[in-house]
């Protein structure tokens, strides 16, 4: 039903009249042309020149030697863990304050997540807490690092660059090198972001991207894995194409997956990638406008960029301090919803998720507080000035009214 889809605010759904969605795709380049080329030539499935080109172009964009296109970001994480050699019953450190996909991918390979808190300034994995866990919570014996409590082997770390901003990677890389851990970057939300001049996804051993409908660039659904390790890239390609040893005789050398991106999706990806710099500039402009208008509002703290970071501001985030702003984040969320403006809280932290109950975790109090206070505001590449003005007016008015009401109640 048309009306239902248009008001859902789901990634990729067209917005209803007057509704300002959180984050929807921007399609204004060569998408039609390239997709038509696939249809005209009958190259619509999981091989074709656009798949190869999308892999090549994305590898070049982030500075990686190899890229393997897959059906989505979750599949990229799953395969990254497999090629990095993570085994059943291993433990893998992962950010607690993120979407559930990386923690689930750890379970797909039979390993266990260890949830690491966020730092309060940029909301990313706290590198110090990761290091403390590995140095104090684990012991090194016989060439292996084991969790002192569970006795399980720790073999990898997944720093997740959330909301378009990179994690502070140096301390994580140093401790990973010390103990021989693989670093798998979840850069699904941060294509184009940089850490000290290096692209997110290219800092560790392997990087994963998503082209879901709400991401910076989209293929409807899609993902990519990048690495400089030729053997890993080859293995990833093999596993994502059903591990065919002999495609004519249907001989398979491993349990593979049907994870390849189609040529039609890749065609869209190629067109989207051509405009990525414009999209990033738009996201940064939107974030700067929010920051300028909101940082003077009592109780609001817009998410900003670390001195060592280049953020793509995939989402513009803001912290809401109830005591100063006049109402809590979820009340503001509801007030915005009533004004046909879609905002969203962050995710339930992984260590609180019922599906990962009992998983080891560092102290995660910062992530819990961020989850209570943070909201993402409308951040589509195509957000117009007048739409953003409407969002800002709503946020300013709702807070001012709440503070006035609070004051008059107290008086
Ligand atoms: C941090 C994070 N990791 C992984 C994913 C999974 O990507 P996909 O939806 O393409 O499977 C997403 C979002 O969709 C995400 O936000």
């Amino acid at each position: 039903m048309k009306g239902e889809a248009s008001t859902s605010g789901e990634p990729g759904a067209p917005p209803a009249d007057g509704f300002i969605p959180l984050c929807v795709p921007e399609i204004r380049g060569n998408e039609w042309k390239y997709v038509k080329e696939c249809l005209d030539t009958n190259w619509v499935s999981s091989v074709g020149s656009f798949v190869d080109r999308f892999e090549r172009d994305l590898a070049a964009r982030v500075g990686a030697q190899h890229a393997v296109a897959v059906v989505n970001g979750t599949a990229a994480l799953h395969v990254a863990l497999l090629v990095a050699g993570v085994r059943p019953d291993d433990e893998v450190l992962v950010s607690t304050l993120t979407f559930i996909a990386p923690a689930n991918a750890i379970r797909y390979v039979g390993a266990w997540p260890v949830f690491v808190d966020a730092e309060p300034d940029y909301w990313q994995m706290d590198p110090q807490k990761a290091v403390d866990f590995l140095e104090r919570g684990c012991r090194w014996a016989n060439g292996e690092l084991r969790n002192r409590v569970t006795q399980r082997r720790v073999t990898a770390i997944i720093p997740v660059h959330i909301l378009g901003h990179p994690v502070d990677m140096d301390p994580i890389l140093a401790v990973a090198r010390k103990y021989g851990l693989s670093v798998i970057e979840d850069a699904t939300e941060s294509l184009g972001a940089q850490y000290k001049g290096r692209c997110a996804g290219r800092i560790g051993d392997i990087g994963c991207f998503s082209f879901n409908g709400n991401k910076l660039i989209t293929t409807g659904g899609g993902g990519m894995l990048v690495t400089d390790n030729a053997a890993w890239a080859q293995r990833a390609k093999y596993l994502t194409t059903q591990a065919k040893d002999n495609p004519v005789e249907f001989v398979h050398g491993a349990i593979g997956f049907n994870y390849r991106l189609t040529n039609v999706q890749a065609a869209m990806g190629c067109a989207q990638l051509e405009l990525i710099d414009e999209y990033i500039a738009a996201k940064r402009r939107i974030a700067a406008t929010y920051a300028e208008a909101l940082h003077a509002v009592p109780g609001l703290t817009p998410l900003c960029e670390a001195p060592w970071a280049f953020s793509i501001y995939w989402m513009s985030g803001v912290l809401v301090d109830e005591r100063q702003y006049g109402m809590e984040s979820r009340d503001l969320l509801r007030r915005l919803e009533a004004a046909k403006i879609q905002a969203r809280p962050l995710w339930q932290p992984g260590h609180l998720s019922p599906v990962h109950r009992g998983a080891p975790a560092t102290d995660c109090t910062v992530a819990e507080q961020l989850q209570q206070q943070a909201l993402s505001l409308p951040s589509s590449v195509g957000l117009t000035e007048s739409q953003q003005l409407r969002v800002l007016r709503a946020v300013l008015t709702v807070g001012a009214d709440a503070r006035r009401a609070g004051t008059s109640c107290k008086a």
Side-chain angles (χ1 to χ4, degrees), residues 269-283:
C270 289
Q272 290 264 300
L273 198 53
E274 288 171 350
L275 296 181
I276 188 171
D277 289 318
E278 282 180 33
Y279 289 7
I280 292 172
K283 293 273 194 189

Side-chain angles (χ1 to χ4, degrees), residues 170-255:
D170 279 347
I172 290 169
L173 289 174
V175 76
R177 296 294 167 254
K178 180 172 170 187
Y179 294 116
L181 311 178
S182 298
V183 178
I184 299 166
E185 295 175 72
D186 181 337
T188 47
E189 299 182 2
S190 297
L191 174 60
Q194 290 176 27
Y195 174 70
K196 299 183 179 175
R198 299 187 71 191
C199 283
R202 265 292 292 115
I203 304 157
D205 301 305
I206 192 161
C208 302
F209 297 101
S210 163
F211 312 115
N212 182 25
N214 64 2
K215 295 300 185 285
L216 178 69
I217 65 166
T218 185
T219 57
M224 191 85 76
L225 176 159
V226 298
T227 181
D228 283 352
N229 185 321
W232 284 11
Q234 201 180 10
R235 181 79 182 159
K237 203 157 217 167
Y238 176 72
L239 289 176
T240 54
T241 50
Q242 300 282 29
K244 292 177 192 141
D245 285 356
N246 184 331
V248 178
E249 297 291 341
F250 297 105
V251 178
H252 304 269
I255 305 283

Side-chain angles (χ1 to χ4, degrees), residues 296-317:
V297 178
L300 295 188
T301 312
L303 176 61
C304 62
E305 183 179 58
W308 37 260
F310 175 82
S311 174
I312 61 155
Y313 288 98
W314 170 61
M315 253 346 140
S316 281

Side-chain angles (χ1 to χ4, degrees), residues 18-359:
F19 176 77
I20 303 180
L22 185 70
C23 194
V24 288
E26 181 74 6
I27 299 168
R28 57 167 141 100
N30 284 318
E31 289 85 352
W32 279 103
K33 184 175 160 207
Y34 295 167
V35 169
K36 184 172 184 308
E37 196 177 315
C38 296
L39 304 183
D40 287 344
T41 57
N42 223 16
W43 285 97
V44 293
S45 196
S46 54
V47 288
S49 63
F50 283 113
V51 176
D52 299 338
R53 175 171 154 193
F54 191 34
E55 290 176 340
R56 249 190 344 264
D57 290 355
L58 195 110
R61 183 66 176 74
V62 301
Q65 288 181 20
H66 309 279
V68 179
V70 291
V71 285
N72 53 51
T74 310
L77 288 159
H78 181 191
V79 172
L81 286 157
L82 289 173
V83 300
V86 174
R87 297 202 305 247
D89 241 21
D90 285 357
E91 287 186 359
V92 177
L93 274 64
V94 63
S95 311
T96 193
L97 190 62
T98 186
F99 184 55
I100 201 164
N104 285 354
I106 292 167
R107 295 295 299 123
Y108 296 168
V109 301
W112 300 93
V114 177
F115 291 107
V116 180
D117 201 6
E119 40 76 17
D121 298 329
Y122 311 107
W123 314 358
Q124 308 297 320
M125 174 186 270
D126 184 331
Q128 202 46 55
K129 285 190 179 168
V131 170
D132 284 351
F133 172 81
L134 294 169
E135 295 286 11
R136 290 195 244 287
C138 300
R139 72 187 158 78
W140 178 255
N142 307 320
E144 289 182 340
L145 193 66
R146 285 189 181 269
N147 182 332
R148 286 182 188 277
V149 176
T150 62
Q151 304 306 324
R152 293 192 288 240
R153 215 167 63 112
V154 181
T155 50
I157 307 182
I158 306 183
V160 186
H161 308 295
I162 61 165
L163 305 171
H165 191 287
V167 173
D168 182 7
M169 290 294 289
D170 279 347
I172 290 169
L173 289 174
V175 76
R177 296 294 167 254
K178 180 172 170 187
Y179 294 116
L181 311 178
S182 298
V183 178
I184 299 166
E185 295 175 72
D186 181 337
T188 47
E189 299 182 2
S190 297
L191 174 60
Q194 290 176 27
Y195 174 70
K196 299 183 179 175
R198 299 187 71 191
C199 283
R202 265 292 292 115
I203 304 157
D205 301 305
I206 192 161
C208 302
F209 297 101
S210 163
F211 312 115
N212 182 25
N214 64 2
K215 295 300 185 285
L216 178 69
I217 65 166
T218 185
T219 57
M224 191 85 76
L225 176 159
V226 298
T227 181
D228 283 352
N229 185 321
W232 284 11
Q234 201 180 10
R235 181 79 182 159
K237 203 157 217 167
Y238 176 72
L239 289 176
T240 54
T241 50
Q242 300 282 29
K244 292 177 192 141
D245 285 356
N246 184 331
V248 178
E249 297 291 341
F250 297 105
V251 178
H252 304 269
I255 305 283
F257 306 91
N258 182 8
Y259 274 177
R260 287 290 279 169
L261 194 72
T262 68
N263 203 45
V264 176
Q265 290 169 306
M268 188 168 169
C270 289
Q272 290 264 300
L273 198 53
E274 288 171 350
L275 296 181
I276 188 171
D277 289 318
E278 282 180 33
Y279 289 7
I280 292 172
K283 293 273 194 189
R284 288 181 62 85
R285 208 166 43 239
I286 291 164
T289 304
Y290 279 131
E292 199 183 319
L294 297 182
H295 91 267
V297 178
L300 295 188
T301 312
L303 176 61
C304 62
E305 183 179 58
W308 37 260
F310 175 82
S311 174
I312 61 155
Y313 288 98
W314 170 61
M315 253 346 140
S316 281
V318 66
L319 283 185
V320 183
D321 179 340
E322 182 188 0
R323 283 163 311 168
Q324 293 177 55
Y325 179 68
M327 68 170 55
E328 59 178 16
S329 64
R330 298 322 191 259
D331 288 332
L332 172 58
L333 179 85
R334 281 186 281 275
R335 296 294 290 271
L336 292 175
E337 205 169 86
K340 290 183 162 183
I341 295 168
Q342 189 178 40
R344 277 282 177 269
L346 300 181
W347 320 265
Q348 179 182 51
H351 70 283
L352 297 180
S353 167
V355 298
H356 294 294
R357 197 189 305 276

